[in-house]
Amino acid sequence: ASEVGWIFRSSNNGKSWIDINDEYTAEGVEDFIISNSKLYASKNDNSGILFISPDDGFTWNQVTIEEGKWILGLYSNSKGVYINLKDKILISNDNGSSWSNITTSFNPWIDQAFIKDDILYAYASGTIYTSIDNGGNWNSAQYRTNGLTATSIYVNESNIFVGFWGGGVGRNSIGIDEAWSVKNNELFLNNSRDIEIMNDTVFVGTESSFVRTSYNQGETWAKELNQFELITGSASHLSVFRNALYVGTGGAGVRKRNQMQKEWLTVSSD
């Protein structure tokens, strides 16, 4: 677990957490993934620093990917590990030892990226780009979005969702072959931070009003759990694991909701 801070590890479904930081990661972490038994964490500044651990966080190696650049996102699939540096996406096929640019063909200004079934998605200047050959070639979607900065992307079997800063959430078919639908009742326009889907239910983590839920693929949105808004409104990272939704909050730990329940549980220790 990480949320613009330190990294913690749990081996009992969040009942307890162990601090696995060293002097480097303790300076602040922005994003975090696991790939081929290695942990990758990006530093929360524009140093371009990536932390890599080969042993479950007991030790960390520090690598400068590109000085002066924010690492906006980390991703992985069977082909490798990916880094979004805003003006390019890099891939490593050797567990972080070397990196190469896979977006030279369209010189993007990339806000967000996503990987679904080994298809790469990148959002740049209002356009979704896709690659089915690991970045060898990119195709641009026919229909542009509203052009606002993207804060998150999520792709399921039938739709693609994009969260916008100042524009709520947009939805399109998986082929992006129609105009974008934006219906944001109960979803404040500047609030979207992260998107996750669990069994056709769409969840949006927001900046100041916890989680919004849609049971109809984004047509309407419902409010989740008012009492947590009194503790923290921020729900900036969402993840689904074993039929449960986990929410990383800004200052109130990790919250969990099981698939068939509406009650939220606290799964992080003090």
Side-chain angles (χ1 to χ4, degrees):
S2 71
E3 185 43 53
V4 193
W6 293 358
I7 304 172
F8 300 87
R9 182 180 67 232
S10 175
S11 58
N12 54 11
N13 292 322
K15 294 179 180 178
S16 61
W17 295 85
I18 300 172
D19 181 344
I20 60 172
N21 296 277
D22 65 6
E23 59 181 311
Y24 301 118
T25 60
E27 296 177 4
V29 168
E30 175 74 20
D31 201 3
F32 175 80
I33 62 168
I34 302 173
S35 179
N36 290 331
S37 299
K38 281 191 174 185
L39 313 185
Y40 299 82
S42 57
K43 192 174 182 182
N44 181 33
D45 61 18
N46 65 347
S47 62
I49 288 176
L50 181 70
F51 306 110
I52 304 175
S53 174
D55 52 13
D56 292 335
F58 287 100
T59 60
W60 293 89
N61 301 315
Q62 178 176 295
V63 179
T64 300
I65 301 299
E66 190 168 334
E67 191 172 351
K69 295 287 182 67
W70 281 87
I71 297 178
L72 299 181
L74 300 173
Y75 319 91
S76 67
N77 64 6
S78 61
K79 306 295 180 57
V81 178
Y82 304 79
I83 290 178
N84 179 8
L85 285 181
K86 189 68 172 179
D87 62 341
K88 62 178 71 77
I89 295 177
L90 307 178
I91 184 174
S92 175
N93 304 116
D94 51 15
N95 296 315
S97 296
S98 62
W99 299 86
S100 57
N101 186 358
I102 60 172
T103 50
T104 57
S105 61
F106 65 102
N107 296 318
W109 192 253
I110 303 168
D111 291 332
Q112 292 290 325
F114 192 85
I115 300 174
K116 169 71 172 175
D117 298 332
D118 286 342
I119 299 175
L120 309 184
Y121 297 82
Y123 178 91
S125 302
T127 298
I128 296 288
Y129 294 84
T130 58
S131 175
I132 60 174
D133 58 2
N134 220 41
N137 296 278
W138 292 86
N139 296 312
S140 60
Q142 176 182 356
Y143 291 93
R144 287 173 46 85
T145 70
N146 51 25
L148 296 173
T149 298
T151 57
S152 53
I153 298 176
Y154 194 95
V155 182
N156 67 1
E157 300 304 323
S158 55
N159 291 313
I160 179 170
F161 297 86
V162 178
F164 302 107
W165 182 254
V169 175
R171 184 196 70 205
N172 211 319
S173 62
I174 194 70
I176 316 176
D177 51 8
E178 57 190 12
W180 285 82
S181 172
V182 180
K183 297 181 180 180
N184 289 307
N185 70 302
E186 288 292 341
L187 188 66
F188 298 118
L189 292 182
N190 64 343
N191 252 354
S192 173
R193 291 291 303 274
D194 198 8
I195 302 172
E196 185 63 84
I197 297 179
M198 181 171 63
N199 295 331
D200 291 330
T201 300
V202 184
F203 299 91
V204 173
T206 72
E207 177 69 28
S208 58
S209 53
F210 196 57
V211 176
R212 292 293 188 267
T213 304
S214 177
Y215 298 99
N216 51 17
Q217 295 293 293
E219 289 293 318
T220 58
W221 298 90
K223 206 171 187 180
E224 287 273 346
L225 209 68
N226 292 336
Q227 59 263 42
F228 277 143
E229 293 181 35
L230 301 177
I231 304 172
T232 174
S234 175
S236 46
H237 185 76
L238 311 182
S239 183
V240 170
F241 179 69
R242 292 180 179 173
N243 290 319
L245 176 70
Y246 291 81
V247 179
T249 70
V254 179
R255 309 292 177 179
K256 172 187 175 182
R257 201 195 92 170
N258 291 319
Q259 175 185 342
M260 304 305 294
Q261 298 174 339
K262 292 296 182 70
E263 178 185 3
W264 289 84
L265 305 175
T266 301
V267 293
S268 53
S269 55
D270 294 335

